[in-house]
Amino acid sequence: MTEIPEHLRKRAEEARKKAEAESAPAGDAAGAEQTPEQSEAESRIPAHLLERSKAAKAKAAGGDAAAASGGGGGTAVATAPAAAAAVADGGPLPTGPGGHTQRLLTVVKAGSIQDVRATPLDKVHTWPHLLVVEFVAALAVTAFLLFFSIFVNAPLLELANFNETPNPSKAPWYFLGLQELLTMFHPMVAGVTIPGMGMFALMLAPYTDRNPSNKPTDRKYVISLMTMFLMFWAVLVIIGSFFRGPGFNFVFPWNAGLFFEL
């Protein structure tokens, strides 16, 4: 329901006052003169509305002649405001309980209309954000190995002669780090203790550094730990590959030559 405009309220009030004045006793109404306020109200109300008001009042008064002539003034007064309101806006006053002209239909909570997370989650789905990158990387590595095998020849060596031991006898390059450690420490220390400590430290790295950031500047601890591990192993492999000659003795490759085959 919308509130009744002010000008319609004024017209209804003026029509109600005019109807009350006209519903007074016949003797008093005949002897009394019309006041300036009533004349002004009549001049403001259109003629067709006045005619409609008079017709409605006459119809209400003609229904009960006895009440209209004797004590029917209260009835006319009671029905006149409703008729005046009908004249003003074409219908009865839209009032609710307690005479209120407005009512509350419903209350809608803001959460049911707009749902915004206070703290957005920094997560993405595995597909396609991760798997697509891994698939493209696998294709790139496969293509590199294919073209590398086409242009680079990798023949097998001659059959091994068990009567002749090569000097120096070296393990494959990925095991040369362990072979280099065997020249410095006891086999138990070089083959089990040192590699085991390194692997154990790498396994504990995610639990000692719980920083969720993926920026290298924010992960200095784990990056430093992994860099130390790789550099330690890379130095051992380089020494075993290029700086070990006959008898697995330390030599300089630019003096004694290179004792390493791919």
Side-chain angles (χ1 to χ4, degrees), residues 85-178:
V87 170
D89 58 352
L93 287 174
T95 58
H100 298 288
T101 58
Q102 296 179 352
R103 64 178 181 177
L104 185 63
L105 297 179
T106 182
V107 177
V108 181
K109 294 182 179 181
S112 61
I113 298 177
Q114 186 177 9
D115 187 8
V116 179
R117 293 182 178 178
T119 55
L121 299 177
D122 188 14
K123 295 181 180 180
V124 294
H125 294 286
T126 304
W127 171 263
H129 299 86
L130 176 63
L131 294 182
V132 169
V133 177
E134 292 183 348
F135 181 72
V136 172
L139 290 180
V141 172
T142 304
F144 172 76
L145 291 177
L146 176 62
F147 288 103
F148 187 82
S149 61
I150 292 175
F151 295 102
V152 178
N153 189 18
L156 296 176
L157 299 178
E158 60 184 9
L159 294 176
N161 186 2
F162 57 89
N163 293 320
E164 181 181 357
T165 302
N167 189 16
S169 180
K170 296 184 179 182
W173 68 268
Y174 44 85
F175 282 139
L176 276 178
L178 289 175

Side-chain angles (χ1 to χ4, degrees), residues 1-12 85 88-89 91-95 100-102:
M1 294 290 184
T2 58
E3 189 175 1
I4 300 175
E6 188 64 24
H7 66 281
L8 294 181
R9 284 180 177 275
K10 290 182 178 180
R11 287 189 180 182
D89 58 352
L93 287 174
T95 58
H100 298 288
T101 58
Q102 296 179 352

